[in-house]
Amino acid sequence: KAGVTQTPRYLIKTRGQQVTLSCSPISGHRSVSWYQQTPGQGLQFLFEYFSETQRNKGNFPGRFSGRQFSNSRSEMNVSTLELGDSALYLCASSSPTGPETQYFGPGTRLLVL
Amino acid sequence: QKEVEQDPGPLSVPEGAIVSLNCTYSNSAFQYFMWYRQYSRKGPELLMYTYSSGNKEDGRFTAQVDKSSKYISLFIRDSQPSDSATYLCAYRGGSEKLVFGKGMKLTVNP
């Protein structure tokens, strides 16, 4: 079974631009969560989607948004990029029978210049 | 008080050593306890998962949970250079989000 895939793997943007990241969960998984990982703050939860609905949200500004499609694929958007948005963005999916465990993708490394 | 505190490290040990990684938490609602391993430039991978106090073994790895003290540990026996990675503890309460420790970088020297 294929794992969680994320595209693109690497991205360089400049301040003020916006970016869209994509995540395809493991087949059959309907829950997708997004995390931001930085050396200083570690892994921080952004939001979780289940059946196209946002189920949980972390403490990030409104510039960070997401959505989920009917096939469970998810996108995350960051508008008006700031230097501090440089991070590894990770997507994770979990199955209905095991929501307490999450399986992560390789991440998208975003550099904001 | 932070929800999760993890020993900051880094930790460097010789091959074959027993490694102990620790985390404490403050939220009594946490029900599920996990350890993730993250290799450089990769996403975290689930290593062990438990929801009860006590020990859980999986090969060279043992996860220990003490709910009364709000303390979890991961022990690695006969550590190998391939165990060199960052280890993250994580908790989840009911349908709430996963909360991660900041991670400890482990290096096992041959």
Side-chain angles (χ1 to χ4, degrees):
Chain A
K1 188 183 265 192
V4 177
T5 58
Q6 292 187 246
T7 56
R9 293 293 310 279
Y10 303 93
L11 208 49
I12 300 175
K13 292 284 187 180
T14 56
R15 278 182 301 173
Q17 287 187 308
Q18 75 163 18
V19 66
T20 299
L21 312 180
S22 181
C23 170
S24 291
I26 292 171
S27 177
H29 287 193
R30 292 163 60 192
S31 170
V32 172
S33 297
W34 287 90
Y35 296 84
Q36 181 196 67
Q37 188 175 34
T38 59
Q41 299 299 318
L43 260 170
Q44 293 187 286
F45 172 77
L46 281 156
F47 26 67
E48 177 190 9
Y49 286 88
F50 180 81
S51 294
E52 302 178 66
T53 301
Q54 189 179 85
R55 189 159 67 173
N56 276 308
K57 189 176 188 307
N59 298 321
F60 277 82
R63 301 185 296 108
F64 292 82
S65 62
R67 57 177 175 168
Q68 187 179 32
F69 302 96
S70 58
N71 61 359
S72 295
R73 191 178 69 85
S74 178
E75 284 183 349
M76 189 194 112
N77 184 274
V78 188
S79 63
T80 319
L81 284 166
E82 301 176 0
L83 295 179
D85 296 334
S86 295
L88 179 68
Y89 289 89
L90 291 156
C91 165
S93 73
S94 55
S95 76
T97 56
E100 62 278 4
T101 59
Q102 295 191 344
Y103 299 90
F104 283 83
T108 294
R109 190 165 294 279
L110 171 65
L111 177 61
V112 181
L113 301 175
Chain B
Q1 184 182 8
K2 291 184 180 178
E3 281 194 293
V4 179
E5 298 270 8
Q6 182 170 6
D7 290 349
L11 182 62
S12 181
V13 301
E15 184 175 353
I18 297 174
V19 176
S20 171
L21 307 171
N22 306 296
C23 285
T24 58
Y25 62 98
S26 58
N27 190 339
S28 299
F30 287 145
Q31 299 177 12
Y32 303 104
F33 308 90
M34 288 142 276
W35 284 96
Y36 283 81
R37 177 175 62 194
Q38 186 174 21
Y39 290 113
S40 180
R41 301 194 177 280
K42 302 275 187 181
E45 60 174 321
L46 181 65
L47 199 58
M48 297 194 73
Y49 140 70
T50 184
Y51 56 86
S52 59
S53 282
N55 293 349
K56 181 177 181 179
E57 270 192 41
D58 185 1
R60 296 184 294 109
F61 298 88
T62 299
Q64 186 178 79
V65 176
D66 184 343
K67 286 189 177 182
S68 60
S69 302
K70 298 189 178 67
Y71 192 90
I72 72 167
S73 298
L74 178 71
F75 298 97
I76 307 174
R77 292 185 299 280
D78 187 25
S79 55
Q80 303 294 309
S82 59
D83 295 329
S84 298
T86 296
Y87 291 80
L88 304 110
C89 58
Y91 307 83
R92 186 176 181 129
S95 62
E96 294 300 315
K97 62 185 186 293
L98 271 183
V99 179
F100 284 85
K102 286 197 176 181
M104 175 189 275
K105 185 174 181 180
L106 170 68
T107 300
V108 180
N109 300 299

